[in-house]
Amino acid sequence: MRRSSWVGLALSISACVGGGSNPIVASDGGADAAVDAGPEGPRDGGPDAFAAVDAGPLPGPLPPCDVTPPDALLVRPGPQEDGSFITLDGRRAVAAGPSTVLEGFPTDVAVHPTLRVAYVLIGSNDDRRLDVVDLDSFEVLQEIEREVFFGLEVAADGARVYLAGGESGLVLAYDVGADGTLTEAGTLDVEEYLAGLALSPDGATLWAGAFDERVVVEIDTATLSERRRFELPVRVWDLVHLPAREELWASDLRGEGVAIVNLRTGAALPEAIPVPTSPAGMAVAPDASVVWAAVSGSDSVVALDPETRSIVATVLVGAPETDLLDDAGAPLPHSNVNALWYDAPSDRLYVSRGADNAVSVLAGTTLEPLGTLPSDRYPTDVELAPDGRTLVVVSGKGGGEGPNAEGGSAKNLSKGTIAFVDLLGLDLEAATEDAARGFRRPAELWQPDCEAFPVPTELGRPTPIRHVVLIVKENKTFDTILGDLEQEGIDADPSLADDGLPYTPNHHALALEFAHSDNFYVLAPNSDTGHLFLTATHLTELAERTYLEDVRHGAFGTYPVQELSSPRGGNFFTHLHDHGVSLRIFGEIVGTSKRAADGTVMAEFSDSRFPGGPFTNYTITDEEKARYVADRILRDGELAQFTYLLLPNDHGNGTRPGTPSPESMVADNDYAMGLVIDALSRSTFWPHTVVFVLEDDPQGSRDHVHASRSVLHVVSPWARRGFVSHAHSHYLSVFATIERILGVPPLGRPEATAAPLYDMFGTTPDFTPYEAREREFPPTLNGETTIGADLSRRMDFRGPDRNPHLGELVRIYRAVRRGELSREAGERRMAALEARIERELPEALDADGRLDEGGRDRDEAFDEAGRERDVDGAFDESLEDAREFDRDWAHYQRWYRARFGREPPFALTGAPEPR
């Protein structure tokens, strides 16, 4: 299992900022003079200086302004009494026809050519399957559990259905019964990580693409045997066959091109057609005169001419019905265009837009926008039934999530939908308006008008706030931390407060002294996606399609730091830099390889002397990290306009012997947060500062309201004191607030239509400093006989979220400590948990094959096998990206020694131990 995770960026940043001697440049201190840091030596210089300045007189009260949220924004996400559905980010997302909830994440749909059934591939972290759904009753007729990812084809005569088996490497064939249900007909192991499929009109030939290799396999369907392989210049997501030209076209979701295979010669064209970032689904005209591609990274659909091998037309989707434009008049990005279906009789091209909860309708010949259909949350594929009137749309998140009182991961609780739209009975103009209202709902519902307010109600209006600090923590729900908070009016369950008092006195004090929310939701299911979102304001289509594969198989561990996982136009760091906002980044690696418009690499704003390094590191206490930041604020008088601070230790190391106990790590994290806010509140910056504290995801924690409900603190002299907000808010609300405060326009469509956190701020400041609460739970270490110690030894703690069952392990441990379970009962549960992990995720506990310095392991053997297949010597770059954590850490150590002439003042440990 190749799980290098975020520290793998040490290699890629090396190339970004010049290679060799300076892979992770840090900026802390003045541009022209280093600051004496005592025995540790001089601190780095950097492009910006944040010297303390005379703040002048304290700002006085602002004119009163009513920012009371409307009742419509006080609802919880999910199904509403009026039949609507409110998404986690506050949109109204309801398909234009009836829909059926499907457990898991639907990824692909195919409709039978004669029978009234549709076939749907379901991805999830636990079960994966193929569902057979009746188009008339909307009921699921059959569920077939198989390892699947993406790739589904139905033969033109309707006799066979073929599936791509994803990581399993299997191509699966099923015979179709009279009612559309399926019987397995055979399998073929092609030993590739499979995605898109294409089928010849006569059904005699099937082509299967490899998602992690530049390979397409041609298969004889009569014998289910391999005929030949084609080497491509791209990795394969979707495949389409052009019979008239005897060509096969392949899109590359992980790249920037569409490849062409000449089936007569058996060779691919040496170069792909250049297409903007992450082309996804494709469609082809019946006469092969044009191929359309959904280009997810550029929010566009392109028409490709097979004769000239070039783009002949492009349309940016998303603008007509929402009018969300940037300063240049172009549509704001982040629609995640992902799938297409072309209907020749009507010349209509249906375009699935995942992040917009919408399906665009275009004229195929001109790409002229005709209208938009609303969909359930995050549509992933679309297909028109043979009747010409039933449009079938599958959505990955349309079924929502519910309470999470058992502590399972939110990604395991998600549900999708399949919707059925009657096009003949549809008013397209009304549907377009409905899609626009649903998407713009949060901002349109709440539009206060204040001439002066801490959060400007219009971009460019004055605010007394000049500095924003974002503190990011790890993996907690609201109930887990604040379920035992004694505050009038909050919705909390004390029975679920695993990390309540005495472990989190600062969380509780901040909630009672400043503003917090009991209706705030994270928009990412695990840490990889959480850190991507919190550095980019968005998850790309590649990230949405990849994260479950990585969680399930450990196949794409470096995707958070790869270029295409963050938006093509830049992330939040580059956006702020492009608009003249000064930055400082403490402890975050994700997003720092991106370049701003002027070529500046965001790693230049990362503080390399931050204890633990510029990445997630549990081996250094968060208290030490916090004291370093406090020292920068109080002693050095430095505070950027925007500061990103990662304090991750509430994640924990399980009960691994010799490491801090779960309670101890939570207590350390809580105290660290308090120390930073204490320092800020005693600095010259305090009258003009706001701090947002949130979690990167809710994984493994429990909540009685919703699996994704989490903690949000707003701490500032301008925050309302002792206030709990019940307005529905989420990550995008925070970004919308930060952008208004810092005076920068929206980066993308999502936060442009999010409602800022208006009600958590007031017009009369209170400059009383915050006094950090000493930790009440003392530092403690796990012992050799601590419950769960053996299982924790076998887990990998060198990065976040490598152990999906960690939350359950910790709950068993705590139940034994509290006397709720006997030691014997706890050991039985722990043994059952280990057996389940061995069955579901055996690689998660596998210490064999991991790289050690100078060692030879299975990854090297894998490299050799790959090079043997790659006759041109251009071995798949993704394997280099996915090298093991140990080697990347060694690379960082070498760079640090060269840069500073000594060993790094921090270390990383936590590799799994063999039995």
Side-chain angles (χ1 to χ4, degrees):
M1 181 177 69
R2 305 187 304 279
R3 297 253 344 180
S4 57
S5 195
W6 305 341
V7 77
L9 189 59
L11 293 178
S12 58
I13 286 184
S14 176
C16 288
V17 299
S21 65
N22 192 23
I24 304 184
V25 176
S27 137
D28 33 333
D32 301 316
V35 178
D36 182 5
E40 282 297 316
R43 293 192 171 114
D44 299 320
D48 297 304
F50 312 126
V53 295
D54 181 4
L58 293 178
L62 302 175
C65 187
D66 184 9
V67 291
T68 304
D71 290 345
L73 275 182
L74 302 180
V75 301
R76 302 293 192 192
Q80 306 297 306
E81 292 182 0
D82 63 359
S84 65
F85 187 95
I86 304 303
T87 65
L88 286 179
D89 56 4
R91 323 285 174 193
R92 181 184 182 273
V94 180
S99 62
T100 296
V101 173
L102 302 174
E103 299 285 340
F105 186 94
T107 65
D108 203 354
V109 65
V111 180
H112 194 277
T114 58
L115 301 174
R116 295 284 293 169
V117 295
Y119 303 99
V120 185
L121 290 190
I122 307 291
S124 70
N125 187 42
D126 34 32
D127 1 322
R128 295 194 169 189
R129 64 187 191 279
L130 171 70
D131 283 358
V132 183
V133 184
D134 190 290
L135 296 186
D136 295 315
S137 68
F138 315 136
E139 295 179 354
V140 177
L141 303 177
Q142 186 181 20
E143 296 181 350
I144 300 172
E145 292 190 5
R146 296 305 299 249
E147 181 62 39
V148 292
F149 172 34
F150 174 78
L152 173 65
E153 284 288 320
V154 181
D157 63 4
R160 275 271 181 99
V161 172
Y162 298 93
L163 315 181
E167 189 270 348
S168 72
L170 298 179
V171 174
L172 304 109
Y174 289 87
D175 290 330
V176 181
D179 60 352
T181 57
L182 304 176
T183 303
E184 186 171 322
T187 63
L188 173 65
D189 188 353
V190 299
E191 299 182 343
E192 300 290 354
Y193 206 119
L194 295 176
L197 300 178
L199 190 62
S200 63
D202 62 6
T205 305
L206 179 72
W207 295 276
F211 185 61
D212 66 342
E213 298 281 357
R214 295 171 171 86
V215 172
V216 169
V217 181
E218 184 178 270
I219 299 164
D220 184 307
T221 58
T223 60
L224 278 186
S225 60
E226 182 177 326
R227 287 183 186 153
R228 53 183 176 168
R229 291 187 175 221
F230 312 114
E231 300 287 337
L232 275 64
V234 303
R235 291 176 286 256
V236 181
W237 174 250
D238 198 19
L239 285 173
V240 292
H241 180 218
L242 282 61
R245 299 182 61 86
E246 295 187 70
E247 291 177 349
L248 195 68
W249 289 44
S251 65
D252 184 2
L253 187 66
R254 299 174 66 191
E256 297 185 335
V258 171
I260 302 173
V261 176
N262 185 321
L263 296 172
R264 291 189 299 274
T265 65
L269 298 185
E271 294 184 1
I273 302 173
V275 171
T277 307
S278 295
M282 296 186 293
V284 58
D287 63 359
S289 61
V290 61
V291 174
W292 296 277
V295 188
S296 66
S298 65
D299 303 294
S300 64
V301 175
V302 299
L304 302 164
D305 185 341
E307 286 291 337
T308 63
R309 319 289 202 197
S310 63
I311 296 174
V312 294
T314 301
V315 62
L316 296 174
V317 303
E321 80 280 5
T322 53
D323 194 30
L324 295 170
L325 307 177
D326 63 18
D327 293 339
L332 284 171
H334 303 165
S335 287
N336 287 20
V337 185
N338 54 28
L340 303 173
W341 181 264
Y342 179 62
D343 177 44
S346 65
D347 188 37
R348 284 188 170 188
L349 188 66
Y350 296 95
V351 183
S352 171
R353 293 158 39 196
D356 286 349
N357 309 323
V359 176
S360 284
V361 184
L362 309 178
T365 53
T366 65
L367 295 186
E368 176 189 359
L370 302 176
T372 304
L373 309 177
S375 75
D376 292 328
R377 186 184 177 205
Y378 211 89
T380 55
D381 199 13
V382 57
E383 184 164 328
L384 187 63
D387 62 10
R389 65 180 292 173
T390 305
L391 190 70
V392 181
V393 184
V394 291
S395 297
K397 308 174 186 180
E401 302 166 357
N404 190 11
E406 298 304 317
S409 174
K411 62 181 172 287
N412 294 335
L413 300 171
S414 63
K415 301 174 183 179
T417 63
I418 179 170
F420 313 89
V421 182
D422 182 0
L423 297 177
L424 294 186
L426 183 77
D427 183 334
L428 185 55
E429 183 177 353
T432 302
E433 293 176 358
D434 192 30
R437 283 194 303 270
F439 189 78
R440 299 184 70 123
R441 173 186 177 270
E444 290 188 343
L445 278 177
W446 200 5
Q447 296 181 324
D449 185 12
C450 308
E451 287 300 320
F453 194 71
V455 182
T457 56
E458 286 187 14
L459 193 64
R461 286 184 173 176
T463 171
I465 300 176
R466 304 172 190 167
H467 302 275
V468 175
V469 178
L470 179 63
I471 298 179
V472 177
K473 292 145 59 69
E474 296 278 336
N475 296 33
K476 297 292 182 282
T477 61
F478 182 90
D479 277 340
T480 295
I481 296 177
L482 295 177
D484 61 349
L485 182 67
E486 295 183 1
Q487 186 178 31
E488 185 177 354
I490 69 166
D491 189 354
D493 185 344
S495 70
L496 303 181
D498 292 333
D499 292 322
L501 293 174
Y503 314 118
T504 51
N506 284 283
H507 264 296
H508 287 68
L510 290 173
L512 294 173
E513 294 182 22
F514 294 93
H516 76 108
S517 171
D518 71 348
N519 198 13
F520 173 82
Y521 302 86
V522 300
L523 301 180
N526 71 348
S527 285
D528 283 347
T529 53
H531 287 251
L532 273 171
F533 208 119
L534 291 171
T535 58
T537 77
H538 178 67
L539 293 178
T540 64
E541 183 69 17
L542 177 61
E544 292 280 9
R545 298 284 186 153
T546 301
Y547 88 87
L548 275 175
E549 294 305 293
D550 187 55
V551 169
R552 187 171 174 86
H553 302 298
F556 306 104
T558 58
Y559 80 88
V561 296
Q562 292 172 5
E563 182 69 17
L564 294 179
S565 289
S566 58
R568 178 177 181 238
N571 61 16
F572 198 58
F573 298 151
T574 65
H575 184 61
L576 294 179
H577 179 73
D578 288 343
H579 287 86
V581 175
S582 60
L583 307 172
R584 185 64 75 234
I585 304 167
F586 295 102
E588 181 62 85
I589 196 76
V590 175
T592 57
S593 67
K594 296 293 281 190
R595 289 185 182 272
D598 64 3
T600 303
V601 181
M602 294 302 98
E604 293 193 29
F605 304 106
S606 180
D607 189 326
S608 69
R609 291 186 181 274
F610 181 66
F615 33 70
T616 300
N617 187 343
Y618 306 135
T619 63
I620 302 297
T621 66
D622 279 346
E623 179 182 345
E624 184 176 347
K625 299 167 191 173
R627 291 191 183 280
Y628 175 87
V629 174
D631 185 58
R632 301 305 304 270
I633 296 167
L634 293 176
R635 191 188 73 174
D636 299 338
E638 290 187 5
L639 188 65
Q641 289 171 274
F642 178 76
T643 299
Y644 185 111
L645 170 60
L646 178 62
L647 295 175
N649 284 14
D650 53 341
H651 180 282
N653 281 318
T655 57
R656 191 183 183 94
T659 67
S661 68
E663 303 95 329
S664 186
M665 292 190 76
V666 170
D668 165 50
N669 175 265
D670 178 80
Y671 185 42
M673 173 186 64
L675 287 173
V676 171
I677 294 172
D678 186 307
L680 279 166
S681 73
R682 299 173 196 281
S683 74
T684 59
F685 304 109
W686 181 238
H688 306 285
T689 298
V690 62
V691 183
F692 299 98
V693 181
L694 47 72
E695 303 281 331
D696 75 321
D697 72 83
Q699 185 172 340
S701 297
R702 304 186 293 171
D703 194 272
H704 81 285
V705 171
H706 198 281
S708 293
R709 189 174 71 135
S710 192
V711 172
L712 172 67
H713 295 289
V714 176
V715 184
S716 171
W718 299 95
R720 294 175 67 177
R721 292 283 181 154
F723 179 74
V724 55
S725 172
H726 306 300
H728 180 188
S729 58
H730 39 81
Y731 283 165
L732 294 172
S733 309
V734 175
F735 283 116
T737 305
I738 294 173
E739 287 171 343
R740 296 287 183 95
I741 290 172
L742 295 178
V744 300
L747 172 58
R749 302 164 59 78
E751 83 274 17
T753 51
L757 305 166
Y758 293 124
D759 68 327
M760 301 180 80
F761 292 82
T763 55
T764 301
D766 182 342
F767 302 112
T768 305
Y770 175 73
E771 183 176 347
R773 274 50 170 185
E774 295 286 340
R775 59 183 292 174
E776 298 176 15
F777 187 86
T780 59
L781 298 179
N782 297 310
E784 292 292 332
T785 61
T786 301
I787 184 82
D790 291 340
L791 179 54
S792 294
R793 278 195 186 98
R794 300 187 64 205
M795 289 181 168
D796 188 351
F797 292 105
R798 292 170 298 176
D801 286 1
R802 299 180 177 206
N803 308 291
H805 298 85
L806 177 61
E808 189 170 352
L809 181 153
V810 172
R811 280 192 297 279
I812 296 171
Y813 153 81
R814 284 181 166 166
V816 172
R817 284 195 78 249
R818 292 191 296 249
E820 297 165 6
L821 282 177
S822 67
R823 175 72 187 225
E824 183 180 3
E827 294 287 5
R828 286 197 301 269
R829 289 196 185 182
M830 204 68 73
L833 174 61
E834 184 167 4
R836 192 164 79 250
I837 299 173
E838 291 276 18
R839 182 175 66 253
E840 296 175 359
L841 292 168
E843 298 97 334
L845 300 180
D846 184 7
D848 297 330
R850 294 189 178 277
L851 240 127
D852 53 20
E853 291 194 49
R856 170 183 171 81
D857 69 355
R858 98 180 133 193
D859 277 340
E860 293 181 359
F862 190 42
D863 282 356
E864 289 184 3
R867 293 189 183 97
E868 289 173 4
R869 292 197 301 272
D870 188 355
V871 296
D872 296 326
F875 183 54
D876 189 354
E877 297 170 2
S878 68
L879 294 181
E880 185 63 23
D881 286 336
R883 292 305 83 205
E884 286 294 332
F885 187 101
D886 295 346
R887 190 184 72 181
D888 295 340
W889 172 240
H891 180 101
Y892 181 81
Q893 288 176 308
R894 288 193 296 272
W895 166 76
Y896 195 97
R897 293 184 199 112
R899 179 72 185 271
F900 300 110
R902 59 182 179 280
E903 293 296 317
F906 36 76
L908 290 175
T909 61
E913 300 174 10
R915 281 181 158 174

